[in-house]
Amino acid sequence: MKKTIVIFTVLAIMALLSACSSNSAEGGTDAPKQVNLLFNFATSSLDPHVDTSYVPLRAGISETLIYLNDETLEIEPWLAESWESEDGENWTIQLREDVQFQNGNPMDAQAVKASLERAMADNVAIQNALRIESIAAEGFELQIKTTMPFPEFPSELVHPNTSIIDVTESDFINKPVGTGPFAVESFTPGTAVDLVRFEGYWDGAAKLEKARFSFNEDANARSLALESKGADIVFRPEVETVEQLEAIDGVTVESTSTFRVHQMTMNLQRESLKDVHVRQAIDALIDRETIAETILSGHAEVATGPFPSSFSFAPDYPEKQYGIEAARSHLAQAGYEEQDGVMQKDGEPLTWTLLTYSARADLPLIAQVFQSDAGQLGIDVTIEQIEIPEEHMAANRDWDLTTYSNLTAPRGDAGYYLNATYHPNGALNFSGADDDNLTAMINELNQVVGQQERSGIAEEIASYVDEQMYNSFVLHPNTLVAYNSDKVKNWTTTRSEYYMLTNELDVK
């Protein structure tokens, strides 16, 4: 039955993508130059200011003021030409003067001001992240005042939800008007967005005439779509199919280290998880080496904290004991003991609800491994599948754990993740962390300039998070992308996972 379902799924994908599945060499000299990229998250909205899948930026519809260089991990001008501040609180941002929106309107300071103000009004997380008190606009210059000295303010303008769009166009969900190389031709929520080249793009018109950015959350179906040529580029094919795909003539598979971490997010508002010893037991139960080798087939680095070991702000963590007996010892310190095969305290069995989601195929498998290992200690773990993790975790508090994946340093700095995840106002603080000591450390970090000093404070924060075991970190997965290299030219697998359909992408 499962095989039949997959076959029908692939046939459906092929039907949806067939209009874009051939290049000029296959479809004749009049066929437009185009590609179709199959992504692992679906979206029902293209609104750049609230879409958590960041499709508008990834699909080349919208752009941000500032760009992250994947190689140097430094921020660079994009729609903004320059920025400066003498006190970290009053900022002058000079915009490019040669940029127009896809409807022909100029991207001047008033338009950017309106876009940023809408982003903050519609997205509380962006409002909290930017800390903007006021914006003044004149010509192509912005004067921005933050609510406090905030030296790292420019790096927040890398975030996809700060994308600049023309807010005088009202159909944000189906047809946002940005400044990128591709304009929206049509959008089918949950299925695909069809794109057409924007001839007036400021950095030179795209080499492609058309593109399709389509969605399927089934990793196996994505792999099969590439095999059948129903898709040209597949983001995160099923790990088990990598060798099979590599064996196909004309298919290239790239495995690239990223800034991402798979973590076990803990709901600190749940009674059992208020005890640090219980949280330490959860951490001890996670068999990282086995997960990395079996579920990820080695396309991952075992995680000791939120940041990959190559970053300057990743501390040297103390050695820990892992395994069933180590977890049992931590639980004993919390007052739990196993009786008649059930882990309990004061006669109450220890049970957890574990959330997971299929858009990242390895997360449900990690959840199953954890469920099995916890069962050996007499802990009943109920796995619940959800659709959009950010929305579900924010709106519901009746869960204990979530296998979750997050970019921890997409701007080459620790500040983003630490603010978003552990500050009380953080956009990704699904754990409900509200620790005065931790908040004070993060606030101190926010006012420090200079990477060396910032790295030192970030190390202290990461070490403190480790001591308190606010969340547990499993591994840093590589980004896997497979594509038809007989057709596709100039594809780049970025570590940030932000930039995908660019004006340089081409077909042979």
Side-chain angles (χ1 to χ4, degrees):
M1 179 64 73
K2 183 177 180 181
K3 183 176 181 181
T4 302
I5 293 172
V6 169
I7 290 173
F8 279 120
T9 302
V10 174
L11 290 174
I13 294 170
M14 291 174 65
L16 288 167
L17 303 181
S18 60
C20 296
S21 63
S22 61
N23 61 19
S24 58
E26 296 168 333
T29 56
D30 295 332
K33 296 174 65 176
Q34 56 192 332
V35 299
N36 46 81
L37 183 150
L38 189 53
F39 193 57
N40 62 320
F41 273 101
T43 186
S44 58
S45 169
L46 293 179
D47 188 338
H49 295 156
V50 298
D51 172 35
T52 56
S53 297
Y54 307 151
V55 169
L57 185 79
R58 288 166 165 159
I61 301 166
S62 63
E63 298 170 310
T64 54
L65 293 176
I66 296 175
Y67 181 91
L68 176 68
N69 185 311
D70 269 15
E71 297 298 323
T72 64
L73 303 184
E74 294 180 354
I75 56 175
E76 299 178 348
W78 205 7
L79 295 179
E81 199 170 64
S82 64
W83 54 90
E84 61 180 1
S85 174
E86 293 183 359
D87 57 9
E89 188 173 1
N90 295 279
W91 294 87
T92 299
I93 297 179
Q94 195 68 39
L95 304 174
R96 297 187 64 93
E97 298 185 14
D98 57 349
V99 180
Q100 58 179 285
F101 291 105
Q102 291 144 0
N103 58 6
N105 290 341
M107 190 208 73
D108 57 16
Q110 285 292 345
V112 173
K113 176 179 184 287
S115 182
L116 290 175
E117 288 177 340
R118 179 185 181 270
M120 291 187 291
D122 286 24
N123 190 330
V124 175
I126 290 300
Q127 181 182 22
N128 291 336
L130 295 181
R131 297 178 173 88
I132 291 177
E133 180 178 302
S134 63
I135 306 176
E138 184 174 351
F140 292 91
E141 184 177 281
L142 293 171
Q143 296 290 336
I144 296 179
K145 179 179 176 60
T146 55
T147 58
M148 58 185 288
F150 188 22
E152 291 303 309
F153 167 69
S155 71
E156 293 296 337
L157 296 174
V158 171
H159 195 291
N161 288 149
T162 67
S163 288
I164 305 304
I165 57 173
D166 186 347
V167 299
T168 65
E169 300 279 358
S170 59
D171 193 359
F172 305 116
I173 291 176
N174 297 297
K175 200 169 185 178
V177 176
T179 61
F182 296 101
V184 177
E185 185 174 53
S186 64
F187 174 52
T188 305
T191 300
V193 53
D194 287 300
L195 306 154
V196 62
R197 178 168 63 196
F198 171 39
E199 299 293 347
Y201 181 55
W202 64 271
D203 197 30
K207 292 179 169 59
L208 297 174
E209 296 168 69
K210 292 191 172 187
R212 169 170 270 214
F213 198 100
S214 49
F215 323 115
N216 193 295
E217 296 187 352
D218 186 322
N220 187 53
R222 292 197 298 274
S223 296
L224 290 172
L226 183 66
E227 289 187 51
S228 64
K229 297 189 177 180
D232 302 307
I233 305 167
V234 170
F235 194 77
R236 293 191 178 277
E238 189 172 44
V239 173
E240 290 83 353
T241 67
V242 166
E243 290 188 9
Q244 179 180 332
L245 292 174
E246 289 176 329
I248 300 174
D249 288 341
V251 168
T252 295
V253 180
E254 295 182 353
S255 178
T256 305
S257 63
T258 67
F259 316 132
R260 180 172 295 281
V261 70
H262 284 355
Q263 67 184 48
M264 187 72 78
T265 296
M266 304 186 194
N267 184 350
L268 302 176
Q269 296 171 356
R270 302 289 274 184
E271 194 60 38
S272 69
L273 299 182
K274 292 178 181 179
D275 193 316
V276 65
H277 298 299
V278 175
R279 301 196 296 268
Q280 289 170 335
I282 291 169
D283 185 68
L285 273 173
I286 300 172
D287 189 349
R288 294 162 174 79
E289 295 286 352
T290 297
I291 289 171
E293 290 304 317
T294 59
I295 296 177
L296 275 297
S297 299
H299 294 283
E301 173 192 340
V302 167
T304 52
F307 308 116
S309 58
S310 58
F311 283 98
S312 61
F313 40 81
D316 293 325
Y317 294 99
E319 188 172 344
K320 300 184 181 71
Q321 296 297 313
Y322 294 103
I324 300 296
E325 292 309 313
R328 191 191 306 276
S329 176
H330 288 303
L331 289 171
Q333 293 180 71
Y336 288 88
E337 61 179 348
E338 191 174 352
Q339 295 182 3
D340 300 323
V342 177
M343 186 63 68
Q344 52 189 285
K345 179 180 181 180
D346 300 329
E348 290 293 324
L350 182 58
T351 63
W352 293 319
T353 296
L354 172 57
L355 307 180
T356 192
Y357 51 102
S358 60
R360 297 195 181 278
D362 29 335
L363 295 183
L365 299 177
I366 293 172
Q368 291 170 23
V369 171
F370 181 83
Q371 180 188 50
S372 176
D373 290 341
Q376 296 183 51
L377 276 177
I379 303 171
D380 182 34
V381 176
T382 300
I383 297 176
E384 181 182 336
Q385 290 275 347
I386 58 176
E387 292 297 323
I388 303 175
E390 293 81 8
E391 292 182 7
H392 189 101
M393 287 190 286
N396 302 277
R397 304 308 292 169
D398 57 349
W399 54 273
D400 299 284
L401 307 168
T402 304
T403 54
Y404 184 58
S405 187
N406 189 25
L407 288 168
T408 58
R411 296 150 220 183
D413 184 86
Y416 160 75
Y417 177 82
L418 297 177
N419 275 278
T421 308
Y422 299 112
H423 197 282
N425 296 327
L428 304 178
N429 188 358
F430 305 121
S431 292
D434 192 357
D435 180 326
D436 290 343
N437 291 332
L438 182 55
T439 302
M441 295 168 76
I442 295 172
N443 286 338
E444 179 187 1
L445 175 68
N446 290 338
Q447 299 186 51
V448 171
V449 181
Q451 191 56 56
Q452 185 172 352
E453 187 176 354
R454 288 181 61 79
S455 292
I457 297 173
E459 280 191 60
E460 293 178 12
I461 298 173
S463 294
Y464 183 82
V465 167
D466 180 66
E467 291 169 9
Q468 300 300 317
M469 200 52 67
Y470 293 148
N471 298 331
S472 186
F473 306 98
V474 184
L475 50 83
H476 302 289
N478 287 5
T479 289
L480 289 173
V481 176
Y483 60 96
N484 179 357
S485 49
D486 276 350
K487 174 181 178 179
V488 177
K489 290 174 58 179
N490 304 335
W491 167 261
T492 300
T493 302
T494 62
R495 298 176 68 192
S496 67
E497 303 178 358
Y498 283 168
Y499 315 114
M500 296 185 182
L501 296 185
T502 70
N503 64 327
E504 293 299 319
L505 191 63
D506 201 358
V507 294
K508 298 177 182 177

